[in-house]
Amino acid sequence: MIRIKNLFMGGCLPFMAFGPLMAESSTLSLLDFTFEGKPLGPECFLPLVSSSSAYEPVVLKGNACQEKQQEYDKEKLKKGIIGYTVENESHMMKAPYSFYRLLGKVHFQNMTTPSYDLIELQWSNGTTESSSGLLVVEKTDKWLRLVQMLDQGDRCFGSVHDAKLAEGILTYNKQITAQGLFNLLYQKKETKESPPLFDDCAVCCIGEVSLKNNQVEGIHFTVSLKDIKNKLAQENVNSPQGCFDKIFEGLLETEQTSLSLDELKAFGQKVTDHCLAEKDISSS
């Protein structure tokens, strides 16, 4: 049973209005996901992650995304990932790319039909963006459409990777910032009236949270002790971020780089008690 949880808003919501999502199979072949005998082109998914056209069906017949002649990345293809990096003649931009992986078939609880495909998608439009997401899609012999975006993010702002669907259980990891971790623990949403207390940028990752059926299981920190010591040497330890990093340094000095959910909550409470004692976090 898979339930959708918004990490930064709190609450556990059923998948759409029909209830929990159930896995049908975890042993699908990419041969089951084709159009007119060819694998579905990775760029066919890009309109589904556009805010302006996300839920509009993508007609496949004659679509440039399906007609494009570019060789798939051979190394990724060995891992069941279809896609390519677009040849880019500009030296001012990063080359755009799009890759997808078929995770399995899913359907709504108490409903044997219809069934949908669960996809892990990675894409970049050639800017600094490096996004990824988990999409539930429906494909017919004419079109492709988005049913639901389960989760998505850009770099340290919640990018998704290492997703697996097996025996009805969805697991994956999300990159996270210090502020993202605070939001997660206290179920806060940032607003213009409540700016970040901690580091929060696309390249400010501190680790990866692991999720199982969209419930947080724990975190693995990806920042080294050396990096934290260097950072502390340049910041005000009396600021919320400096205080956070000082506690973080103490944790890493014990060579503890992974925390269970209970340990993560204890870490968060320690940060709150020492770094935010004089701040009202109820509206942060």
Side-chain angles (χ1 to χ4, degrees):
M1 180 183 297
I2 301 170
R3 300 176 76 84
I4 310 309
K5 183 176 181 183
N6 185 324
L7 290 181
F8 304 111
M9 289 293 289
C12 191
L13 304 175
F15 179 77
M16 291 188 65
F18 298 98
L21 192 65
M22 309 298 292
E24 294 184 0
S25 170
S26 58
T27 57
L28 290 180
S29 165
L30 286 172
L31 295 177
D32 299 319
F33 204 69
T34 60
F35 177 74
E36 295 186 341
K38 298 192 301 183
L40 202 63
E43 292 185 54
C44 295
F45 291 95
L46 298 186
L48 306 185
V49 295
S50 167
S51 58
S52 61
S53 60
Y55 290 94
E56 297 177 10
V58 176
V59 177
L60 298 174
K61 186 73 173 180
N63 195 309
C65 71
Q66 193 62 19
E67 302 294 328
K68 191 159 190 171
Q69 300 294 320
Q70 182 160 343
E71 187 177 9
Y72 294 133
D73 186 303
K74 293 180 180 178
E75 291 303 312
K76 289 186 179 291
L77 199 56
K78 294 176 183 177
K79 301 175 183 178
I81 301 172
I82 285 187
Y84 42 69
T85 299
V86 179
E87 297 178 0
N88 187 4
E89 296 181 358
S90 172
H91 297 291
M92 302 298 292
M93 297 174 61
K94 180 176 67 176
Y97 62 82
S98 51
F99 295 93
Y100 74 90
R101 183 162 60 95
L102 180 61
L103 297 176
K105 284 280 188 182
V106 294
H107 66 268
F108 294 112
Q109 188 180 33
N110 302 324
M111 297 175 64
T112 56
T113 58
S115 64
Y116 305 104
D117 295 291
L118 180 58
I119 301 292
E120 180 179 2
L121 181 67
Q122 300 174 342
W123 73 96
S124 174
N125 59 11
T127 62
T128 56
E129 173 197 35
S130 294
S131 297
S132 55
L134 297 174
L135 293 70
V136 177
V137 302
E138 180 181 19
K139 183 183 73 67
T140 71
D141 59 357
K142 298 182 183 298
W143 44 258
L144 174 75
R145 75 175 182 95
L146 177 67
V147 176
Q148 182 78 22
M149 176 69 78
L150 297 189
D151 208 341
Q152 72 175 110
D154 173 20
R155 292 166 291 169
C156 299
F157 293 136
S159 62
V160 174
H161 59 97
D162 296 331
K164 296 178 182 178
L165 179 64
E167 299 180 358
I169 297 174
L170 173 63
T171 59
Y172 62 98
N173 297 326
K174 281 176 68 74
Q175 291 187 315
I176 199 168
T177 64
Q179 182 64 38
L181 182 60
F182 173 80
N183 292 344
L184 169 64
L185 291 171
Y186 290 97
Q187 300 183 350
K188 301 295 178 183
K189 182 181 180 181
E190 292 175 35
T191 66
K192 292 181 180 179
E193 291 72 30
S194 58
L197 294 168
F198 305 108
D199 288 347
D200 197 36
C201 72
V203 293
C204 299
C205 300
I206 64 165
E208 300 175 350
V209 290
S210 56
L211 297 97
K212 181 178 180 180
N213 279 356
N214 216 51
Q215 300 292 330
V216 176
E217 294 272 286
I219 189 170
H220 174 71
F221 294 113
T222 54
V223 179
S224 71
L225 177 59
K226 179 180 178 181
D227 290 337
I228 289 297
K229 286 184 177 294
N230 290 339
K231 190 165 178 283
L232 278 167
Q234 305 174 50
E235 65 186 354
N236 177 8
V237 294
N238 294 318
S239 68
Q241 183 60 52
C243 178
F244 177 99
D245 286 337
K246 194 64 181 175
I247 295 174
F248 194 16
E249 177 189 39
L251 177 69
L252 295 180
E253 284 177 338
T254 67
E255 299 185 353
Q256 190 172 9
T257 57
S258 296
L259 300 178
S260 67
L261 180 56
D262 287 341
E263 292 170 331
L264 181 55
K265 289 179 179 178
F267 174 80
Q269 189 61 54
K270 187 174 182 179
V271 170
T272 300
D273 293 343
H274 288 78
C275 308
L276 303 174
E278 298 180 359
K279 293 184 178 292
D280 179 11
I281 65 171
S282 63
S283 59
S284 296

